[in-house]
Amino acid sequence: MNDQRLRLDLTDLAEEVTVVDLRDRTLRTSRRLGVQRAVATSAAALVLIAAVTGTAFAIRPNQSPPPLPADTPSVIVTPTPTQSPSPTPSTSTSVAPNSPSGGSGQNTPTAEIGKLFYGPAEVTGAENANLRSWRPGDNPVRLLALPALALKGNVSVSPDGRRVAWVDSDGTSNNLFVANADGSDKQKVRSDVDPYCVTAVWSPDGRQLLFRETKANDAGGPGRYGVLDVRSTARTVRWWTTEPDACHALWSADGQTIAMNTDLGVTLYGTDGTTRRVVPGFSLDGWRSNDVASLSPDGSRIALLRKKSGGDAGDVARDLRVNVVLNTKTGQEIRLPLGGRELRQVYFQTDGSMVVRVQAGNGYAVLLVGEDGQKISETAEPAALKDMQILAVGA
Amino acid sequence: MDPSLSEFDSFVRTRTPALLRSAYLLTGDQHLAEDLVQSALARTHRSWGRLHHSGNAEAYTRKTMYHLQVSWWRRRRVPESMPGDLPEPRGGDSGPDHAQQTSLRLTLRAALAKLSPKQRAVLVLRFFEDRTEAEAAELLGVTVGTVKSQTAKSLAKLRAVAPELAELYVLEGSTR
């Protein structure tokens, strides 16, 4: 036999479908899409349609589990960090930098870059790799060794830089671990945790972890969000009553806002999972974002990777590259003083300033940019960090 | 009636059967296939003026359909409905041909359910719609290399989950 037999059998299988007239349903859907487009949430429109027509997605019984993201590990763990994102340097479309009203106000002359945490930019095949830290003026420091996939895909460093959380599989469950940054005091704190999409994230006080629990061996399937108190003896969890279709949670330093990627862009939530608002500026035919990297202390600005529609949206693994910082209320781009260089990463610090990583020759430089958008300082990164990406900025 | 609406009506009614067949292979379910086609057609309708004049309506609809099916948010939103349990392999060849064919169809259907949405999409494009690797890559918005690798993975997985199919198909994939 040859693959012609597969063609014939697929044709035979396809004939099972009953042809129906979709004209009226299509026009109804189109009208609803038109309404929803105003808020740039086509996915929400589909859900709304589902609720109204009773025909669509969410209400169908879960007759078999959704495919695991882990079904395509090569897709999940090998985003292309060495490829430059579509550059969106400051252009004439940018708006002037602004000072969010809820921020910490004027930059002080003493603003400085905190401790930067690094992991490999690419998974090279090594089973483990070391977390590293570096503070401008010091030498890089080697910290605990973690599974390479966790270091690339889900590790989270607490805001004070002392604790690390990550998810690793033991073959039967995806387990959530915490440890000190030097590797001591390692503890398993939960089982069956989403390792790729809603990766665990620390609360600003380093006491809690937001995570998403899944069914065993079903990392991409239905689940629930929980806020785990890692310092409590009983490891209590406050469960959300909602389960947003979202990935890549960020927790603002003021403790009030969770930002996550949803459908085409970003949605802001309260810490109990209630929806606050959708960040404008994303649409089916325009800009999209599947990856967010950092949220400002008051939730007014977000650093993310923004792409034009038409690309492959099938990868749930996180990508910490950044090509734009947006105002979360207006969706407008915030201009950064890049000096004509390519933007690679951005992390907000607790005082509202930004650590901005740019390409500089064969390596990188980190800029300290004040909340007012002005550059405060610039430091060349050590060459030893050339093949690494910044994972977090600690105090 | 608005002439453009009449043209859109005609487009929907002539292309729905073919779209539904592809959607059925992608989803494995009558209702989900209808939802998928309806969602793609609705997006086509939103851009009908531009698409109609450029003659790209069907290509746009198919592209939208495949993107919707493999997009991560929909994958999380839509529970897979294909029954995942493989039927018992048939023993010998004692049954009538049509019974054998029915058994094979059930096996193929269940095996497809074991694939990821993207793997299923690649198989449907390459072996049902008979698209070239370049055409499949363009429709999915991925590279030809991704189509090649996903095709190989899909066929390998079919072979793994339904060995009886491996006996029937040459599962190395073809390159065009």
Side-chain angles (χ1 to χ4, degrees):
Chain A
M1 293 293 296
N2 52 44
D3 58 23
Q4 185 60 26
R5 177 60 188 262
L6 177 57
R7 296 174 202 279
L8 292 172
D9 288 339
L10 285 171
T11 301
D12 187 36
L13 181 59
E15 289 300 328
E16 283 186 358
V17 78
T18 303
V19 175
V20 295
D21 187 347
L22 295 174
R23 185 259 189 195
D24 291 343
R25 287 166 55 180
T26 294
L27 293 180
R28 279 200 302 273
T29 305
S30 174
R31 278 194 292 273
R32 293 190 184 284
L33 280 176
V35 172
Q36 292 298 317
R37 184 166 290 183
V39 289
T41 54
S42 71
L46 288 172
V47 175
L48 175 62
I49 294 157
V52 172
T53 64
T55 57
F57 320 119
I59 59 173
R60 292 198 59 77
N62 188 16
Q63 297 170 18
S64 86
L68 301 177
D71 281 350
T72 52
S74 63
V75 175
I76 289 168
V77 301
T78 56
T80 53
T82 55
Q83 292 178 354
S84 298
S86 303
T88 55
S90 301
T91 67
S92 58
T93 59
S94 301
V95 296
N98 60 352
S99 294
S101 58
S104 59
Q106 297 294 317
N107 296 299
T108 66
T110 58
E112 60 182 22
I113 293 176
K115 185 186 286 185
L116 307 180
F117 291 86
Y118 290 80
E122 288 185 273
V123 174
T124 59
E127 191 172 339
N128 292 303
N130 285 90
L131 182 72
R132 292 168 188 251
S133 69
W134 173 66
R135 193 188 294 272
D138 294 342
N139 291 321
V141 176
R142 185 185 296 254
L143 301 171
L144 83 168
L146 290 171
L149 293 184
L151 200 50
K152 171 72 180 174
N154 62 50
V155 69
S156 177
V157 180
S158 66
D160 64 5
R162 294 180 179 177
R163 299 284 279 172
V164 178
W166 72 95
V167 178
D168 188 27
S169 172
D170 60 10
T172 58
S173 171
N174 291 303
N175 301 308
L176 176 60
F177 294 91
V178 295
N180 290 329
D182 63 4
S184 62
D185 193 26
K186 178 183 172 183
Q187 301 170 38
K188 179 176 138 183
V189 293
R190 291 293 299 185
S191 296
D192 299 324
V193 171
D194 185 344
Y196 296 119
C197 183
V198 185
T199 52
V201 61
W202 290 94
S203 62
D205 63 4
R207 186 181 180 95
Q208 299 172 311
L209 281 168
L210 171 66
F211 70 104
R212 182 171 168 273
E213 182 187 66
T214 64
K215 292 179 182 174
N217 287 320
D218 188 9
R224 55 181 177 168
Y225 289 76
V227 179
L228 170 70
D229 187 340
V230 291
R231 293 189 192 172
S232 67
T233 308
R235 300 260 160 70
T236 53
V237 176
R238 174 170 52 84
W239 297 105
W240 285 10
T241 56
T242 60
E243 196 209 347
D245 264 335
C247 281
H248 312 314
L250 305 173
W251 200 327
S252 67
D254 68 3
Q256 301 299 307
T257 306
I258 306 288
M260 289 193 279
N261 283 116
T262 50
D263 46 74
L264 305 172
V266 180
T267 300
L268 304 184
Y269 298 89
T271 55
D272 59 356
T274 53
T275 301
R276 291 264 179 83
R277 67 175 187 273
V278 175
V279 176
F282 299 97
S283 65
L284 186 66
D285 301 322
W287 289 112
R288 300 183 186 189
S289 175
N290 289 335
D291 296 282
V292 291
S294 185
L295 184 64
S296 70
D298 62 355
S300 66
R301 292 168 291 161
I302 190 164
L304 52 80
L305 184 60
R306 189 172 67 168
K307 298 176 179 175
K308 278 288 187 186
S309 62
D312 179 8
D315 189 347
V316 300
R318 77 177 179 187
D319 189 334
L320 296 173
R321 290 176 299 162
V322 167
N323 58 11
V324 70
V325 175
L326 300 178
N327 181 312
T328 60
K329 287 182 180 165
T330 65
Q332 289 184 296
E333 183 178 337
I334 292 170
R335 186 183 305 144
L336 297 172
L338 305 178
R341 293 167 294 187
E342 184 180 343
L343 176 61
R344 301 305 294 260
Q345 292 192 272
V346 175
Y347 285 92
F348 288 97
Q349 303 198 106
T350 54
D351 64 355
S353 64
M354 288 173 273
V355 176
V356 176
R357 191 189 203 203
V358 296
Q359 189 83 43
N362 291 328
Y364 299 98
V366 287
L367 320 179
L368 176 61
V369 176
E371 193 175 2
D372 58 1
Q374 301 299 311
K375 186 170 89 172
I376 298 171
S377 67
E378 175 171 340
T379 310
E381 266 185 7
L385 301 174
K386 183 168 68 73
D387 296 325
M388 311 201 88
Q389 64 173 347
I390 302 175
L391 301 170
V393 178
Chain B
M1 179 186 283
D2 179 352
S4 66
L5 188 56
S6 173
E7 289 162 352
F8 182 75
D9 282 358
S10 174
F11 172 75
V12 168
R13 289 186 167 128
T14 55
R15 301 316 304 155
T16 291
L19 293 168
L20 273 175
R21 283 192 282 273
S22 293
Y24 183 71
L25 292 178
L26 292 173
T27 64
D29 177 84
Q30 173 76 32
H31 296 292
L32 288 180
E34 291 174 18
D35 289 336
L36 186 59
V37 174
Q38 168 190 329
S39 297
L41 284 171
R43 283 160 174 74
T44 301
H45 181 249
R46 301 298 309 169
S47 306
W48 181 248
R50 172 172 56 86
L51 294 169
H52 174 56
H53 290 301
S54 63
N56 290 328
E58 179 160 5
Y60 179 88
T61 307
R62 284 192 178 274
K63 191 167 186 171
T64 303
M65 194 169 80
Y66 280 96
H67 278 224
L68 286 173
Q69 180 58 16
V70 302
S71 64
W72 63 266
W73 58 265
R74 192 173 194 278
R75 201 159 70 224
R76 297 193 63 215
R77 166 62 61 186
V78 184
E80 293 295 306
S81 69
M82 283 186 172
D85 293 329
L86 291 173
E88 290 296 319
R90 282 174 46 80
D93 56 358
S94 56
D97 284 347
H98 75 270
Q100 188 171 12
Q101 186 59 29
T102 299
S103 173
L104 183 63
R105 194 168 66 230
L106 289 173
T107 301
L108 178 59
R109 191 167 185 270
L112 286 174
K114 304 285 187 187
L115 306 183
S116 73
K118 188 175 285 183
Q119 290 171 338
R120 232 160 31 222
V122 167
L123 273 195
V124 173
L125 282 167
R126 297 282 289 117
F127 297 106
F128 176 67
E129 294 193 13
D130 210 23
R131 305 276 182 173
T132 64
E133 288 172 341
E135 289 169 342
E138 203 282 324
L139 274 163
L140 291 172
V142 300
T143 64
V144 170
T146 299
V147 170
K148 286 176 191 271
S149 64
Q150 289 291 323
T151 303
K153 284 181 183 175
S154 309
L155 294 175
K157 193 155 184 181
L158 275 186
R159 181 166 50 223
V161 301
E164 59 271 44
L165 294 180
E167 296 168 11
L168 293 173
Y169 306 146
V170 172
L171 296 180
E172 294 104 13
S174 58
T175 301
R176 286 187 294 148

